[in-house]
């Protein structure tokens, strides 16, 4: 299996195969083998991880261990923002564009996302056509949970129209057989946006809109960490949701 983490890390760091050759001393064919999934020797892993400014455990997780220690789990946190609105829009677009295997969206209205990324629905359908799993779970606008959150934020019935607006923006995903869109009826615990091995997570605060709540950028390093805990939450909610 190709090492997508290594490939993406090299692209982000603008590192070429020739650059890796110069740092490690191996020929370019060997570098191509690493990109195709072969695991380098330890000294080469150290050199390459330093070159692309990534954790070795992230680039080569084939022998991953369970993240039981707090130090190991904390290593999954890439960045933390005081408010979701503080995260640069380029982060969202980069994660959407780079995703190849899995895109999961869990929230109430998530109206900001299709507004931030024009033609998002069409883009996600195209990704699904290339083999990427796409799951979108938004709240049921007629549910008691939405009504309770609406009252908490004192929006006078504003959340339900935003959910319906999001679904109109994502109409391509709703109509496509390649993508899955569901309604959930859970309390507004959090919003989760998963893109392959990276994830954006917002724990919601009492009475505040989503853009005022914190945002954490996580990247999966090993088994049993924060990333896996949140993706399991996504799976649990998804199992209770119903098709739009």
């Amino acid at each position: 299996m190709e090492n997508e983490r290594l490939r993406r890390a090299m692209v982000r760091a603008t590192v070429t195969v020739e650059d890796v050759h110069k740092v490690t001393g191996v020929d370019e064919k060997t570098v191509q083998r690493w990109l195709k999934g072969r695991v380098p020797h330890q000294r080469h892993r150290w050199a390459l991880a330093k070159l692309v400014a990534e954790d070795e455990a992230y680039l080569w997780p084939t022998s991953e261990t369970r993240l039981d220690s707090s130090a190991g789990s904390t290593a999954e946190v890439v960045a933390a923002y005081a408010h979701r609105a503080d995260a640069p829009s380029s982060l969202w677009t980069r994660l959407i564009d780079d995703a190849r295997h899995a895109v999961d969206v869990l929230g109430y209205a998530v109206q900001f996302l299709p507004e931030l990324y024009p033609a998002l629905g069409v883009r996600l359908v195209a990704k699904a056509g290339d083999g990427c799993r796409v799951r979108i779970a938004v709240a049921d606008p007629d549910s008691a949970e939405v009504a309770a959150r609406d009252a908490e934020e004192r929006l006078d019935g504003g959340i339900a129209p935003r959910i319906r607006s999001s679904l109109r923006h994502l109409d391509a995903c709703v109509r496509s057989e390649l993508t899955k869109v569901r309604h959930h009826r859970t309390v507004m615990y959090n919003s989760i946006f998963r893109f392959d091995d990276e994830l954006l997570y917002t724990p919601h605060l009492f009475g505040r809109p989503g853009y005022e709540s914190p945002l954490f950028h996580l990247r999966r390093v090993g088994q049993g960490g924060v990333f896996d805990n949140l993706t399991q939450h996504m799976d649990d909610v998804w199992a209770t949701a119903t098709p739009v």
Side-chain angles (χ1 to χ4, degrees):
M1 183 179 296
E2 293 187 5
N3 191 331
E4 288 293 331
R5 295 182 179 187
L6 176 58
R7 181 192 64 80
R8 290 197 299 267
M10 289 175 61
V11 170
R12 286 196 294 268
T14 63
V15 168
T16 66
V17 171
E18 175 64 22
D19 295 329
V20 177
H21 157 69
K22 291 177 180 178
V23 169
T24 62
V26 304
D27 59 49
E28 296 185 14
K29 288 185 178 180
T30 298
V31 180
Q32 294 291 354
R33 294 189 188 101
W34 293 347
L35 289 168
K36 290 184 180 298
R38 179 174 295 183
V39 179
H41 292 301
Q42 181 70 71
R43 68 181 185 279
H44 293 147
R45 296 202 301 271
W46 287 339
L48 188 47
K50 182 179 180 180
L51 180 64
V52 299
E54 286 287 1
D55 295 330
E56 179 192 345
Y58 171 71
L59 295 174
W60 296 282
T62 52
S63 57
E64 65 181 16
T65 56
R66 186 170 182 83
L67 295 178
D68 290 325
S69 70
S70 59
S73 296
T74 303
E76 293 192 310
V77 179
V78 177
Y81 302 91
H83 313 98
R84 189 188 70 201
D86 296 336
S89 58
S90 59
L91 172 63
W92 293 93
T93 55
R94 195 255 308 166
L95 292 175
I96 293 169
D97 287 338
D98 285 356
R100 293 190 172 195
H101 306 295
V103 172
D104 285 336
V105 174
L106 170 63
Y108 257 40
V110 300
Q111 188 176 18
F112 76 96
L113 198 57
E115 291 176 348
L116 180 150
Y117 195 111
L120 176 62
V122 174
R123 178 69 164 142
L124 292 179
V125 170
K127 283 184 172 292
D130 290 333
C132 181
R133 185 196 69 192
V134 176
R135 301 187 301 180
I136 301 171
V138 296
D140 182 341
D142 299 319
S143 67
E145 291 77 13
V146 165
R149 181 67 187 190
D150 192 280
E152 181 184 311
E153 291 190 38
R154 293 177 292 180
L155 294 176
D156 194 24
I159 294 182
R162 281 161 44 195
I163 295 171
R164 296 187 176 98
S165 176
S166 292
L167 292 176
R168 285 194 294 272
H169 285 303
L170 296 170
D171 182 60
C173 291
V174 174
R175 291 185 290 105
S176 175
E177 295 182 355
L178 300 174
T179 51
K180 305 298 181 184
V181 184
R182 293 184 180 181
H183 279 315
H184 68 86
R185 288 172 168 258
T186 60
V187 175
M188 196 174 188
Y189 303 110
N190 50 53
S191 294
I192 293 175
F193 308 88
R194 185 259 181 98
F195 309 95
D196 292 348
D197 292 317
E198 296 187 68
L199 181 150
L200 299 175
Y201 160 65
T202 293
H204 288 287
L205 305 180
F206 180 82
R208 299 193 201 177
Y211 63 83
E212 288 188 2
S213 297
L215 179 78
F216 296 90
H217 179 189
L218 304 176
R219 183 180 58 197
R220 189 176 189 274
V221 174
Q223 298 177 12
V226 180
F227 184 99
D228 283 359
N229 205 6
L230 291 172
T231 53
Q232 183 60 58
H233 171 72
M234 170 69 191
D235 290 344
D236 292 343
V237 174
W238 185 257
T240 70
T242 56
V244 172

